[in-house]
């Protein structure tokens, strides 16, 4: 059952940093709107937050990959 | 008929069908076609039941804010996952998915488990079932989300059926995995489309007012394309600099 669940979750999430970034973006964007942000700018804010989440996830993957290569080399 | 949903669904599901076809063919060649096709048939039956049980009731919720938020979030997670993977592949940080290699790998795995056993080879049957089920699950997800988001489920279904017919016909005609299909490019495009639609829908769900309404999706997609291109260039440069450091000093130093 555990492996079935892991497989199903893996279909949607394969990097937890990206998932965390998306979750934080989805939390901040509505809060900003409630705090009085112009609804027209809400979309731009959401896009920027999600783009940052993607970049963060890629940067961490890059660091992980280079670290693995360094370890293998040593 | 919604052309956008039809094209996006066609692209997204065709990639999944190509991957499923590779597994079914490899199992069929080594373990016999009976085991392979039975596994595939059972997976299709289970998937049909899942759509009837969970997919169709979703239609009654379509149009509500909560529904937009849930579907949008799922599209976003799924799309960004594909986009991230495609960027890493273009940058050379992740191995490209090549159907020829996947086919050879599956053939070896099946052969290592021995020849066909009895009337039905259970290892082959389970492999075929699992492969078709998992790829099919992703296809159903793509069809449902695109179809519901565009308000035209039939367009998404037609797109998917078109993909299925073309992939199966090509598989039967060529009798080998469809390695000429540009899978990574297709996944990259579908990742961008899913993410763009997801951002739009999540925005709608939380109360964003899009200046250009539906047309905003095209601008979001263009923005994602630009961000992705920059990320690929940035990662490639970092990788090249790391390699230069390795050749000079004999050790890796991350430059990003």
């Amino acid at each position: 059952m555990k492996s079935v669940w892991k497989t199903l979750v893996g279909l949607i999430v394969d990097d937890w940093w990206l998932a965390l970034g998306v979750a934080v973006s989805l939390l901040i964007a509505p809060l900003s709107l409630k705090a009085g942000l112009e609804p027209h700018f809400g979309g731009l804010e959401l896009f920027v937050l999600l783009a940052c989440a993607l970049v963060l996830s890629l940067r961490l993957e890059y660091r992980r990959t280079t670290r693995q290569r360094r370890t293998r080399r040593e | 008929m919604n052309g956008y949903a039809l094209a996006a669904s066609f692209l997204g599901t065709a990639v999944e069908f190509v991957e499923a076809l590779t597994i079914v063919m490899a199992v069929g060649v080594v373990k016999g076609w009976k085991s392979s096709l039975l596994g595939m048939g059972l997976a299709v039956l289970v998937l049909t039941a899942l759509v009837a049980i969970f997919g169709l009731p979703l239609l009654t919720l379509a149009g509500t804010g909560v529904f937009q938020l849930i579907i949008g979030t799922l599209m976003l997670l799924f799309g960004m996952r594909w986009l991230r993977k495609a960027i890493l592949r273009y940058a050379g940080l992740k191995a490209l998915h090549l159907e020829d290699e996947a086919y050879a790998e599956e053939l070896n795995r099946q052969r290592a488990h021995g020849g066909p056993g009895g009337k039905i080879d259970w290892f082959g049957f389970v492999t075929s079932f699992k492969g078709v089920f998992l790829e099919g699950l992703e296809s159903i997800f793509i069809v449902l989300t695109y179809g519901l988001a565009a308000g035209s489920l039939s367009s998404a279904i037609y797109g998917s059926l078109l993909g299925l017919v073309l992939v199966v016909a090509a598989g039967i005609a060529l009798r080998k995995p469809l390695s000429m299909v540009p899978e990574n490019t297709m996944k990259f495009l579908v990742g961008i489309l899913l993410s763009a639609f997801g951002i739009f829908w999540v925005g709608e769900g939380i109360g964003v007012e899009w200046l250009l309404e539906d047309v905003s999706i095209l601008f979001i997609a263009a923005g994602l394309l630009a961000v992705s291109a920059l990320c690929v260039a940035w990662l490639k440069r970092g990788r090249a600099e790391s390699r230069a450091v390795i050749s000079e000093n004999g050790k890796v130093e991350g430059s990003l």
Side-chain angles (χ1 to χ4, degrees):
Chain A
M1 193 64 201
K2 198 180 166 189
S3 62
V4 172
W5 178 246
K6 270 177 88 174
T7 308
L8 288 177
V9 172
L11 285 176
I12 298 172
V13 178
D14 64 359
D15 178 58
W16 288 102
W17 287 110
L18 181 62
L20 185 71
V22 170
V24 170
S25 307
L26 298 190
L27 194 72
I28 292 176
L31 285 177
S32 313
L33 287 169
K34 273 192 182 153
L37 180 75
E38 181 72 32
H40 289 308
F41 290 112
L44 184 65
E45 185 203 23
L46 185 63
F47 176 83
V48 171
L49 284 170
L50 289 166
C52 288
L54 179 66
V55 172
L56 174 77
S57 158
L58 290 168
R59 182 182 155 79
L60 290 170
E61 181 65 31
Y62 173 83
R63 282 182 62 181
R64 201 174 60 85
T65 312
T66 48
R67 198 172 293 156
Q68 272 175 358
R69 284 183 188 158
R70 189 190 315 162
T71 312
R72 268 206 302 268
R73 209 171 168 80
E74 282 167 2
Chain B
M1 192 65 64
N2 183 311
Y4 178 81
L6 191 141
S9 172
F10 168 76
L11 281 175
T13 56
V15 175
E16 302 298 339
F17 296 144
V18 167
E19 289 180 4
L21 179 78
T22 301
I23 298 169
V24 171
M25 285 184 109
V27 173
V29 166
V30 179
K31 302 290 188 180
W33 289 101
K34 195 174 179 181
S35 309
S36 181
L37 294 178
L38 275 174
M40 183 189 79
L42 183 65
V44 171
L45 275 179
V46 175
L47 287 168
T48 310
L50 283 176
V51 170
I53 295 167
F54 298 109
L56 297 180
L58 278 176
L59 288 172
T60 57
L61 296 171
T64 64
V66 176
F67 176 80
Q68 285 176 324
L69 196 58
I70 293 171
I71 290 288
T73 306
L74 285 172
M75 285 179 104
L76 201 51
L77 284 169
F78 199 73
M80 289 190 81
R81 170 179 165 257
W82 275 25
L83 192 56
R84 177 181 176 276
K85 221 182 248 182
I87 291 171
L88 289 172
R89 281 179 174 150
Y90 281 133
L93 288 170
K94 198 173 176 68
L96 287 171
H97 180 88
L98 302 171
E99 280 314 309
D100 279 340
E101 283 177 14
Y103 182 67
E105 218 169 84
E106 190 57 49
L107 279 180
N108 289 337
R109 206 171 75 90
Q110 295 294 322
R111 281 181 186 133
H113 207 265
K119 282 183 180 172
I120 292 177
D121 183 281
W122 290 106
F123 185 73
F125 174 83
V126 170
T127 306
S128 179
F129 171 81
K130 199 175 150 193
V132 174
F133 180 75
L134 290 177
E135 304 300 344
L137 208 57
E138 290 194 58
S139 303
I140 285 173
F141 178 81
I142 290 168
V143 171
L144 281 178
T145 49
Y146 272 136
L148 293 172
S152 176
L153 197 57
S154 56
S155 304
I157 292 172
Y158 285 135
S160 169
L161 286 176
L162 184 65
L164 179 68
V165 170
L166 282 179
V167 168
V168 171
I172 291 171
L174 298 170
R175 293 171 187 238
K176 63 176 190 174
L178 307 181
S179 53
M180 74 293 282
V181 173
E183 261 186 72
N184 296 304
T185 308
M186 282 167 79
K187 280 198 167 181
F188 179 65
L189 285 176
V190 176
I192 284 190
L193 292 176
L194 271 171
S195 305
F197 236 129
I199 291 173
F200 180 80
W201 266 52
V202 165
E204 292 263 292
I206 62 173
V208 167
E209 285 174 19
W210 296 101
L211 276 175
L212 300 168
E213 300 197 343
D214 289 3
V215 181
S216 305
I217 296 172
L218 292 176
F219 284 92
I220 300 170
L224 285 171
L225 193 65
V227 170
S228 306
L230 286 173
C231 284
V232 170
W234 169 58
L235 291 170
K236 268 187 178 171
R237 200 198 65 193
R239 202 165 159 254
E241 285 176 10
S242 289
R243 279 185 172 171
V245 173
I246 293 169
S247 57
E248 277 178 25
N249 304 332
K251 64 176 186 178
V252 179
E253 282 173 20
S255 59
L256 292 177

